[in-house]
């Protein structure tokens, strides 16, 4: 597999006109084809999921990049010290070169186009590799992108594992991967061979703690939306509930039969259907549990009193099963979270602000939303990503993060896909100031 794009030498002094054009054209793709994407049922998402959860976010990212690009790309003046007092010192963001973007299937547009917007804004070329599991979206992306963007600078490569592995053998300047932690390790290993930096947007189990001190009816409604939207196939869906046994019985989710609802999706494929079914084995659901293999339908399902060491609590569920694990109080919930992998997201439902802040301070996660779920994802001003394992956690020491490394959204994507070049410009004058640093040192000592 060869790409002319890999030979591109990307430089940016001023933001060229073509970059604005490309960003506007990316916006056109999203605006003009938003309806089409939903109509062709690119994968069994509900009809409102694609516009609500994917297209609006991508469009916002493009608008923001167009509005702020001059500011983001401008040299940033920094502090000087006594040795550099008369120099010009600044940080100049520069393009990295060619970025490889590998996407997952669950939000096939957001996980490819959002990094692409940042890659373009930062002045990079990019190879886009969408997931083979969301096959129709991949084909549509491959058909659409070259109609708007330079096909040599932004090629789309479709295919599965072997095509991705072939791509990974090539040398890129950055790899931006979204998908499972298992494949994340494969990507990082391949990147290490070329010392290529990576951004890994991975998954894992995002806990959701419900304190007895909160409006449980509202909490349940918000959690229900976040857990079962896109049929639970969302990286930051609340994976499981932690709450005191006394409120387990008060937790209620879902009412009417969602099977007939156009708002409720299906599982991506048979393999994932069987995987989720096997996670349910041995439990009697307190809510839901109905399935239909012919449609890959699994009802929103709640399982109570789930043992902490069960298989359901070991791997990311990524489906419409919501286990409830009993904890004795908030401290116990904090302990529970800290004994496990650093999660991508943490959710806390609690009316006591002081207690909420304590839980935030004593845990870590890629992001946290209090009294709702997933909302931190919607803000471009907040960095979105996992915990890269370098976070200095003072009180407890959870296991190193499997939720990813690096972050994106808004300016964070621009920064992630730029090199921050340190620039110092000095004149050839005032040489007497420098004499003290030149050898021979003994001559100077003798002079003293
Ligand atoms: P997937 O199977 O579609 O794989 C993702 C990409 O990796 C695809 O392009 C695929 O071709 C490639 N791939 C798969 N196996 C490979 C291998 N052995 N070698 C090289 N490339 C390979 O998606 P997935 O991994 O099932 O995605 C679901 C996971 O992604 C979940 O864990 C979810 O939490 C996570 N996710 C994270 C985010 C985020 O923003 N953090 C967003 C969406 C999904």
């Amino acid at each position: 597999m060869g790409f002319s794009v890999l030979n591109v030498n990307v430089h940016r002094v001023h933001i060229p006109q073509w970059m604005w054009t490309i960003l506007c054209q990316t916006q056109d793709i999203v605006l003009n084809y938003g309806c089409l994407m939903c109509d062709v049922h690119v994968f069994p998402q509900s009809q409102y999921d694609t516009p609500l959860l994917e297209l609006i976010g991508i469009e916002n990212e493009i608008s923001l990049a167009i509005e702020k690009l001059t500011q983001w790309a401008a040299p940033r003046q920094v502090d000087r010290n006594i040795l550099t007092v008369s120099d010009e010192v600044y940080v100049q963001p520069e393009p990295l070169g060619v970025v490889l973007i590998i996407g997952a299937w669950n939000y096939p547009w957001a996980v490819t186009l959002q990094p692409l917007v940042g890659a373009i804004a930062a002045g990079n070329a990019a190879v886009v590799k969408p997931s083979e599991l969301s096959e129709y979206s991949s084909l549509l992306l491959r058909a659409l992108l070259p109609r708007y963007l330079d096909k040599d600078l932004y090629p789309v490569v479709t295919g599965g594992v072997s095509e991705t592995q072939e791509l990974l053998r090539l040398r890129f300047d950055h790899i931006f991967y979204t998908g499972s932690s298992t494949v994340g390790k494969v990507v990082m290993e391949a990147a290490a061979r070329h010392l290529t930096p990576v951004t890994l947007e991975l998954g894992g189990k995002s806990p959701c703690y419900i304190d007895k001190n909160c409006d449980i009816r509202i909490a349940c409604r918000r959690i229900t939306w976040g857990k079962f939207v896109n049929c639970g196939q969302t990286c930051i869906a609340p994976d499981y509930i932690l709450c005191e046994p006394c409120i387990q019985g008060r937790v209620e989710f879902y009412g009417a039969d969602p099977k007939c609802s156009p708002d409720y999706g299906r599982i991506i494929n048979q393999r994932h259907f069987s995987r989720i079914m096997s996670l349910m084995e041995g439990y009697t659901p307190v809510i839901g549990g109905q399935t239909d293999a012919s449609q890959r339908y699994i009802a929103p399902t709640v399982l109570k009193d789930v043992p902490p060491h069960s298989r359901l609590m070991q791997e990311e569920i990524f489906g419409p099963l919501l286990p409830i694990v009993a904890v004795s109080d908030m401290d116990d919930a904090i302990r529970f979270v800290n004994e496990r992998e650093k999660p991508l997201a943490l959710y806390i439902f609690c009316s006591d602000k002081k207690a909420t802040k304590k839980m935030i301070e004593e845990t870590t996660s890629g992001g946290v939303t209090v009294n709702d779920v997933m909302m931190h994802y919607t803000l471009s001003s907040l960095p979105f990503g996992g915990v890269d394992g370098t976070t200095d956690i003072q009180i407890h020491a959870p296991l190193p993060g499997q939720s990813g490394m690096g972050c994106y959204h808004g300016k964070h994507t621009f920064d992630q896909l730029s090199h921050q070049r340190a620039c110092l410009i000095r004149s050839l004058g005032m040489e007497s100031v420098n004499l003290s640093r030149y050898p021979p040192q003994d001559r100077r000592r003798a002079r003293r």
Side-chain angles (χ1 to χ4, degrees):
M1 197 182 292
F3 286 108
S4 55
V5 70
L6 287 174
N7 301 322
V8 169
N9 198 358
V10 191
H11 288 293
R12 189 193 56 228
V13 183
H14 303 294
I15 300 162
Q17 187 54 42
W18 60 262
M19 213 142 89
W20 298 107
T21 315
I22 285 171
L23 279 172
C24 293
Q25 284 168 341
T26 319
Q27 192 169 34
D28 282 348
I29 301 178
V30 176
L31 290 177
N32 294 338
Y33 288 88
C35 300
L36 174 65
M37 289 173 197
C38 306
D39 287 347
V40 296
H41 288 286
V42 288
F43 94 89
Q45 276 183 334
S46 95
Q47 280 176 16
Y48 88 103
D49 287 350
T50 307
L52 180 71
L53 301 172
E54 300 214 64
L55 304 183
I56 295 172
I58 303 165
E59 224 260 292
N60 287 344
E61 288 281 301
I62 296 168
S63 304
L64 186 73
I66 290 171
E67 185 195 328
K68 301 278 188 189
L69 188 52
T70 314
Q71 206 177 307
W72 294 348
R76 204 173 64 247
Q77 305 301 319
V78 292
D79 289 345
R80 288 173 290 196
N81 60 19
I82 193 142
L83 297 174
T84 57
V85 76
S86 53
D87 300 333
E88 184 184 349
V89 286
Y90 59 94
V91 177
Q92 177 63 65
E94 283 186 346
L96 292 173
V98 185
V99 180
L100 171 61
I101 298 169
I102 306 174
W105 51 268
N106 59 327
Y107 292 99
W109 300 97
V111 301
T112 47
L113 291 185
Q114 287 199 9
L116 180 62
V117 171
I120 293 171
N124 300 292
V127 175
V128 182
K129 162 62 188 65
S131 172
E132 69 281 16
L133 300 197
S134 45
E135 188 188 348
Y136 297 117
S137 297
S138 298
L139 294 175
L140 195 53
L141 193 67
R142 194 180 67 184
L144 291 179
L145 228 56
R147 278 169 50 183
Y148 291 87
L149 306 185
D150 185 317
K151 66 179 181 347
D152 293 325
L153 282 177
Y154 308 102
V156 177
V157 178
T158 52
V161 174
S162 63
E163 285 80 1
T164 316
Q165 288 185 343
E166 216 177 309
L167 274 173
L168 286 170
R169 276 193 278 278
L170 304 175
R171 181 175 175 168
F172 289 90
D173 298 293
H174 193 97
I175 300 178
F176 193 110
Y177 170 79
T178 303
S180 65
S181 309
T182 312
V183 179
K185 289 175 193 164
V186 174
V187 171
M188 200 165 169
E189 210 176 310
R193 267 177 246 134
H194 298 294
L195 289 179
T196 298
V198 290
T199 303
L200 300 178
E201 297 288 338
L202 310 178
K205 294 182 88 62
S206 296
C208 179
Y209 172 67
I210 309 179
D211 195 82
K212 61 177 182 291
N213 181 10
C214 83
D215 185 329
I216 293 178
R217 204 176 46 86
I218 293 179
C220 289
R221 190 187 300 152
R222 294 179 184 182
I223 294 166
T224 299
W225 169 74
K227 175 68 189 185
F228 298 116
V229 72
N230 206 17
C231 219
Q233 301 164 112
T234 305
C235 57
I236 46 168
D239 188 90
Y240 61 92
I241 301 284
L242 293 172
C243 65
E244 293 183 31
C246 64
I247 58 168
Q248 259 202 102
R250 290 162 58 203
V251 171
E252 287 177 14
F253 296 94
Y254 252 83
D257 178 13
K259 192 174 177 185
C260 314
S261 167
D263 292 339
Y264 191 68
R266 296 294 183 267
I267 304 302
I268 180 77
N269 60 19
Q270 194 56 45
R271 179 169 66 83
H272 280 283
F273 179 81
S274 308
R275 180 186 61 77
I276 299 165
M277 290 295 287
S278 76
L279 286 176
M280 248 198 299
E281 269 166 26
Y283 293 98
T284 309
V286 286
I287 297 168
Q290 302 83 357
T291 62
D292 180 346
S294 69
Q295 288 185 24
R296 300 193 307 276
Y297 167 78
I298 300 177
T301 298
V302 179
L303 308 154
K304 284 187 186 167
D305 289 318
V306 173
H309 300 295
S310 57
R311 200 182 132 220
L312 200 53
M313 289 305 296
Q314 302 307 311
E315 59 186 77
E316 181 180 5
I317 295 170
F318 221 53
L321 312 182
L322 185 58
I324 303 183
V325 178
V327 286
S328 53
D329 53 17
M330 185 184 267
D331 283 331
D332 198 20
I334 291 171
R335 230 181 340 267
F336 192 95
V337 172
N338 286 336
E339 278 168 7
R340 285 163 176 76
E341 302 287 358
K342 295 176 184 177
L344 185 56
L346 171 68
Y347 303 115
I348 305 166
F349 284 84
C350 180
S351 302
D352 180 340
K353 242 190 167 151
K354 209 168 147 207
T356 304
K357 284 278 168 71
K358 170 184 151 71
M359 185 155 188
I360 294 175
E361 279 164 21
E362 296 187 7
T363 54
T364 186
S365 62
V368 55
T369 290
V370 173
N371 291 326
D372 209 331
V373 294
M374 311 211 294
M375 284 298 140
H376 62 287
Y377 173 88
T378 64
L379 268 181
S380 296
S381 50
L382 286 174
F384 179 75
V387 193
D388 63 12
T390 56
T391 308
D392 180 21
I393 176 128
Q394 316 272 320
I395 299 169
H396 296 280
L399 299 168
Q402 297 280 304
S403 50
M405 57 190 67
C407 60
Y408 75 132
H409 285 188
K411 182 172 186 295
H412 306 288
T413 323
F414 177 90
D415 289 343
Q416 186 81 172
L417 300 178
S418 297
H419 166 57
Q420 307 297 324
R421 189 177 194 186
C423 303
L424 184 148
I425 302 176
R426 130 170 323 189
S427 85
L428 281 168
M430 292 175 47
E431 182 59 354
S432 56
V433 178
N434 294 317
L435 288 181
S436 63
R437 71 175 206 235
Y438 300 139
Q441 300 291 336
D442 48 354
R443 193 180 51 200
R444 224 180 32 252
R445 245 178 263 124
R447 237 189 282 134
R448 268 194 228 128

